[in-house]
Amino acid sequence: MTIFGVFRYAPEDGKARFVDYQLDVPRGTTVLDCLLKIKHEMDGSLSFRYSCRSAICGSCAMTIDGTNRLACKTQVSTLGRVVKVEPLTGYPVIKDLIVDMDLFWRQYTSIKPYLIYRSSPPEGEWTQSPEERRILEEPSTCIMCGACSSSCPVIWTDERYLGPAALLKVWRFVADSRDEAEEERLGMINNEFGVWRCHTIFRCVDSCPKEINPTEAIEHLRRAAVRHSIRGLFRRK
Ligand code: F3S
């Protein structure tokens, strides 16, 4: 028998509390399976987001036993007999395990998360060498679940900080051989709310369900920003 202590919050009465649900959990069961069982068989008012059940859509990111994880990817057998399930930290709770991700999406869209090119794109396929593609492998794996940004204490204290998810995305485009907006992109992050606000706390790395390293991406961007600034100094002389 496993006890799930699930965070409950109803906007109607504004009361937050944990409610315990006891479940028999067979091997191979995920936390999302258990939340669905609770919803369908014990309490239909329990609210949470989910969609693909395959660790691709990122919808079911939540805090499980103190760590941000995907509920669909987390096997209950890897947890203890009592499992605490809470909404992602740092975002306002709408209901139960559902948070308002508006801040996350504002940070994400502010960095122009798409290819920018000044010259004409090629007529046919836009080829890259295996090495150029390899650099994009890790940052392209991001499913934008918000687990990293939600776990970053710097964002908790100052939401003007772009955060690890948006910065990882900047690196994904700066590193892309097809993108022609390096100067504009580095200008977005070479400031007190960009890469220089990261305190290398590494919680973003620990919480990523796809094993991406946003801190390393921030390091790459810092080096690129410094190189770019030095080039600018020489150009002015
Ligand atoms: Fe935050 Fe990750 Fe930097 S947790 S402070 S973005 S290393």
Side-chain angles (χ1 to χ4, degrees):
M1 189 70 74
T2 303
I3 301 167
F4 289 85
V6 182
F7 180 89
R8 303 297 311 266
Y9 169 78
E12 307 85 66
D13 62 18
K15 286 186 189 144
R17 64 204 186 284
F18 280 91
V19 177
D20 285 350
Y21 303 94
Q22 292 197 10
L23 258 61
D24 270 328
V25 182
R27 256 188 100 70
T29 305
T30 65
V31 172
L32 179 61
D33 294 331
C34 295
L35 291 174
L36 286 166
K37 193 171 170 66
I38 293 168
K39 185 171 179 67
H40 293 151
E41 297 177 17
M42 301 166 86
D43 187 344
S45 69
L46 177 63
S47 301
F48 50 93
R49 289 195 181 106
Y50 74 101
S51 181
C52 73
R53 302 189 189 197
S54 309
I56 292 169
C57 75
S59 308
C60 66
M62 53 187 74
T63 308
I64 300 168
D65 278 352
T67 302
N68 288 351
R69 313 171 197 236
L70 296 180
C72 72
K73 199 183 172 190
T74 307
Q75 292 286 323
V76 179
S77 58
T78 63
L79 307 168
R81 218 179 62 79
V82 179
V83 179
K84 204 168 170 192
V85 186
E86 300 167 85
L88 287 179
T89 321
Y91 300 121
V93 178
I94 297 173
K95 186 176 186 307
D96 299 336
L97 302 171
I98 298 177
V99 292
D100 181 350
M101 304 272 295
D102 186 56
L103 170 64
F104 177 82
W105 293 114
R106 270 190 284 123
Q107 289 166 330
Y108 174 69
T109 51
S110 75
I111 57 93
K112 301 192 178 177
Y114 42 81
L115 276 181
I116 299 175
Y117 42 88
R118 322 281 177 212
S119 45
S120 305
E123 295 257 312
E125 194 181 354
W126 204 336
T127 54
Q128 291 186 298
S129 69
E131 178 54 24
E132 286 168 340
R133 181 65 187 86
R134 193 197 58 72
I135 296 168
L136 304 183
E137 203 68 56
E138 185 171 304
S140 302
T141 311
C142 173
I143 56 172
M144 292 179 285
C145 62
C148 61
S149 288
S150 149
S151 71
C152 174
V154 180
I155 294 186
W156 301 345
T157 57
D158 189 347
E159 61 180 49
R160 290 171 299 177
Y161 172 46
L162 275 175
L167 291 171
L168 176 82
K169 194 60 76 174
V170 176
W171 171 242
R172 182 251 172 272
F173 287 102
V174 167
D176 194 317
S177 59
R178 300 162 298 181
D179 194 82
E180 295 174 355
E182 186 189 57
E183 188 164 351
E184 182 184 352
R185 295 192 191 283
L186 294 179
M188 290 174 192
I189 55 89
N190 190 12
N191 56 57
E192 61 186 310
F193 304 120
V195 288
W196 306 112
R197 182 55 68 92
C198 169
H199 293 187
T200 49
I201 296 170
F202 290 109
R203 281 181 61 109
C204 53
V205 180
D206 293 340
S207 64
C208 178
K210 304 302 272 187
E211 286 161 26
I212 300 169
N213 187 334
T215 317
E216 192 174 50
I218 292 170
E219 258 334 293
H220 288 313
L221 283 176
R222 283 175 168 167
R223 284 195 208 111
V226 170
R227 271 198 304 271
H228 184 261
S229 300
I230 292 171
R231 276 202 304 268
L233 279 177
F234 280 112
R235 269 203 300 271
R236 275 201 288 278
K237 282 191 178 166

